[in-house]
Amino acid sequence: MTILQTSIPYDPLSPRPLPGIQSGSMENWLHCDEAFAAQMLRRAALLADRKKDVLALDPSAEPAAQELLDLVLQHAYPDCSDHVTRPDGQIVEVDRSQPMETLCQLVQEDFCILQKKGGEHVLTGAVLCFPASWRLSEKFMRPLIDIHGPVASYDESIARRVQRLFDGIQPGRPLWRFNALWYEDPELFQPRSANEPRDVKAPGAAPYIRSERQTLLRLPRTRAVVFSIHTYVIEAKRLHKMENPA
């Protein structure tokens, strides 16, 4: 099933130098768009068939995962108790003993939990249903510089800047950025080994544009940093029409 949005709530082709960070707010931390029902169905299928590929949690990150679940419920489902009713009408049980699995079923966002270990933040937990050409198994329990290893522009200078950024993130004050990736295939689940990089298309040279709205937020109690990813995929021709209306 092809899952597409009809628009993106920002200009994904607007150039911004790395890391391209902007200030956000807790009110727009999580997004819900017209692809919600379809994306949640895809997430459910991945959770059932590819659980080991889309979920990971180190025991040290369990408190952070619990705190993240509480925060998502507070903002997305403020009136929930032991279950929630999603925008698509589906009822989901809130299983606090399985925070990552529950998170996977609540919102469109993927989540990565990063904790400071020594001088770097390490990926200690994740819900990653919609990877854009990377594999959770290769990045789990790795520091930021290793996570971004295949990204040519992510050199040591950028790595130091990003680490300083992570150190300075404050609770209740999310930061966000976006990217723009050109794909031949609109499939949301695009795992790929770092040893087999994809053929990156030049802007405008592929039929689909994939944009991730990436948000950084510090959890107040555990002090872990949460990297959330809301994935948009639209037809490139639709984006061009929005840029050049008749």
Side-chain angles (χ1 to χ4, degrees), residues 24 36 83 93 163 166 173 185 207:
F36 182 92
H83 67 277
E93 178 187 355
Q163 184 55 58
F166 269 63
R173 297 172 61 185
D185 182 353

Side-chain angles (χ1 to χ4, degrees), residues 47-62:
L47 188 60
D49 301 335
R50 306 287 295 267
K51 186 174 180 178
K52 291 184 178 179
D53 295 323
V54 301
L55 297 186
L57 185 64
D58 185 72
S60 68
E62 180 77 27

Side-chain angles (χ1 to χ4, degrees), residues 11 33 35 51-52 57 61 65 70 75 85 88 92 125 131 147 150 154 175 189 194 197 239 244:
D11 179 2
D33 60 50
K51 186 174 180 178
K52 291 184 178 179
L57 185 64
D70 288 341
H75 284 272
T85 301
D88 60 354
V92 177
I147 291 173
Y154 197 93
L175 303 172
F189 182 62
L239 183 65
N244 303 290

Side-chain angles (χ1 to χ4, degrees), residues 1-4 38-39 41-55 104 108 110 126-137 183 185-193 198 210 212 231-233:
M1 179 175 65
T2 299
I3 302 172
L4 299 172
Q39 284 198 0
L41 279 175
R42 187 71 181 107
R43 296 171 77 84
L46 291 166
L47 188 60
D49 301 335
R50 306 287 295 267
K51 186 174 180 178
K52 291 184 178 179
D53 295 323
V54 301
L55 297 186
C104 184
Q108 290 172 261
D110 283 330
V127 176
L128 188 71
C129 290
F130 304 151
S133 300
W134 60 286
R135 285 183 180 167
L136 178 56
S137 60
Y183 275 78
D185 182 353
E187 168 59 45
L188 289 160
F189 182 62
Q190 296 261 7
R192 184 179 295 273
S193 173
R198 76 182 181 97
R210 176 178 181 135
E212 298 174 322
T231 300
Y232 295 91
V233 181

